[in-house]
Amino acid sequence: MIPSGLEKWNLNMNHGNGGADKKIGLMGGTFDPIHHGHLVTAESVYENLALDRIVFVPAGDPPHKQDSSVTAAQHRLRMVEIATASNSHFFISDIEVQREGPSYTIDTVEYYRCCYTDDTDIYFITGVDAVVQIPQWKNSDGLFELCEIVAATRPGYPTKNFFRFRDQLPAHQRQSLRMLAVPALSISSADLRQRVSEDRSIKYLVPEGVEQYIEEHGLYKSSRSNAIRVSFFE
Ligand code: ATP
Ligand code: MG
């Protein structure tokens, strides 16, 4: 399923040259599809926190999106691959797609925590919209212990909500959470899916290769016709 021999995919089991990493960023998401908001956020965190690499981890079966259909993982992975191809410090992991059952962030972070030695810091990157949901996630206490959570600003999601959320957390969890201002791009995957279904342009909102991929595979054309839970991609 996964293209072989690609450096970008080496992150799951043996980290390529990643063994020497001191700071890695994990960027979780459904990426249905990936867009410039995700990419600018990841690059901004990479630069601001002086990370060694960012690993994009597309969700396999997102627990919070059970009621809606999600595009086949193979398409979403391929679009992440296309979007990150030109960035040498962006990597991709299919760990959540390969794992059976719902994708839980704690399982992913535990996996990476085990792969690296204790002197490597793990940063879990999320938007301020998603961060406030974390207490509802599986073993959220463990997540705060295993990594630092970086909440990126996002247009439409006032930072005051983030600060209210942060202030309610116990002190030891507050220490593992920070907000980072990133260039504001008011782009969402939901809006992109809507645009495509209405034959409206998504040019300049996603990388050109992603736009072409969506077109070639007829994604998002009609009401979730590519959204299936079993893989059919070849
Ligand atoms: P959807 O509309 O389907 O929820 P999305 O655009 O929110 O899609 P996700 O895959 O849900 O994309 O997001 C992955 C992560 O990226 C989340 O933590 C989300 O908060 C963050 N994110 C998404 N878009 C932006 C953006 N434009 N700016 C900052 N963060 C973003
Ligand atoms: Mg979202």
Side-chain angles (χ1 to χ4, degrees):
M1 177 179 87
I2 300 302
S4 58
L6 289 178
E7 156 81 1
K8 292 235 171 247
W9 294 98
N10 283 345
L11 265 285
N12 278 352
M13 290 312 291
N14 65 44
H15 293 262
N17 63 356
D21 286 351
K22 290 289 165 266
K23 293 166 136 193
I24 66 159
L26 300 178
M27 174 101 186
T30 314
F31 303 119
D32 191 15
I34 190 166
H35 54 69
H36 280 131
H38 298 127
L39 296 163
V40 162
T41 297
E43 181 68 5
S44 207
V45 177
Y46 170 84
E47 185 179 44
N48 275 281
L49 302 188
L51 303 187
D52 294 300
R53 67 176 70 209
I54 301 270
V55 186
F56 288 78
V57 191
D61 188 5
H64 62 290
K65 293 189 176 171
Q66 290 288 306
D67 51 343
S68 64
S69 301
V70 173
T71 302
Q74 291 82 352
H75 283 310
R76 294 182 289 111
L77 280 169
R78 184 76 184 121
M79 289 189 279
V80 172
E81 185 183 24
I82 291 166
T84 58
S86 63
N87 189 324
S88 60
H89 49 258
F90 281 0
F91 292 80
I92 312 161
S93 169
D94 64 345
I95 183 174
E96 293 197 359
V97 171
Q98 298 295 349
R99 194 187 296 139
E100 303 229 326
S103 299
Y104 293 112
T105 298
I106 185 70
D107 299 336
T108 300
V109 174
E110 271 175 356
Y111 173 85
Y112 277 95
R113 188 65 280 166
C114 286
C115 290
Y116 283 93
T117 54
D118 283 351
D119 58 348
T120 298
D121 293 326
I122 297 177
Y123 296 83
F124 180 74
I125 304 161
T126 176
V128 285
D129 59 312
V131 76
V132 298
Q133 310 293 331
I134 286 182
Q136 275 93 61
W137 294 5
K138 181 184 161 195
N139 191 2
S140 58
D141 292 347
L143 195 62
F144 281 97
E145 279 167 31
L146 292 181
C147 64
E148 180 161 334
I149 297 164
V150 183
T153 51
R154 182 172 186 181
Y157 298 92
T159 54
K160 71 173 189 305
N161 293 347
F162 167 81
F163 290 118
R164 195 179 302 139
F165 162 73
R166 191 194 60 180
D167 292 347
Q168 288 167 355
L169 293 174
H172 66 281
Q173 292 190 346
R174 277 204 297 275
Q175 284 168 0
S176 301
L177 174 67
R178 72 169 84 183
M179 195 190 76
L180 191 76
V182 305
L185 288 184
S186 185
I187 306 173
S188 74
S189 301
D191 178 58
L192 293 167
R193 296 191 296 271
Q194 180 79 20
R195 281 168 176 268
V196 176
S197 74
E198 294 170 355
D199 280 329
R200 289 161 61 211
S201 173
I202 56 168
K203 200 172 270 305
Y204 311 124
L205 299 174
V206 298
E208 209 172 327
V210 172
E211 184 193 352
Q212 279 166 8
Y213 186 92
I214 290 170
E215 167 89 35
E216 275 163 25
H217 293 266
L219 302 184
Y220 314 122
K221 268 288 168 211
S222 57
S223 52
R224 320 303 288 127
S225 56
N226 297 93
I228 53 174
R229 292 209 167 269
V230 290
S231 70
F232 67 96
F233 184 83
E234 292 174 349

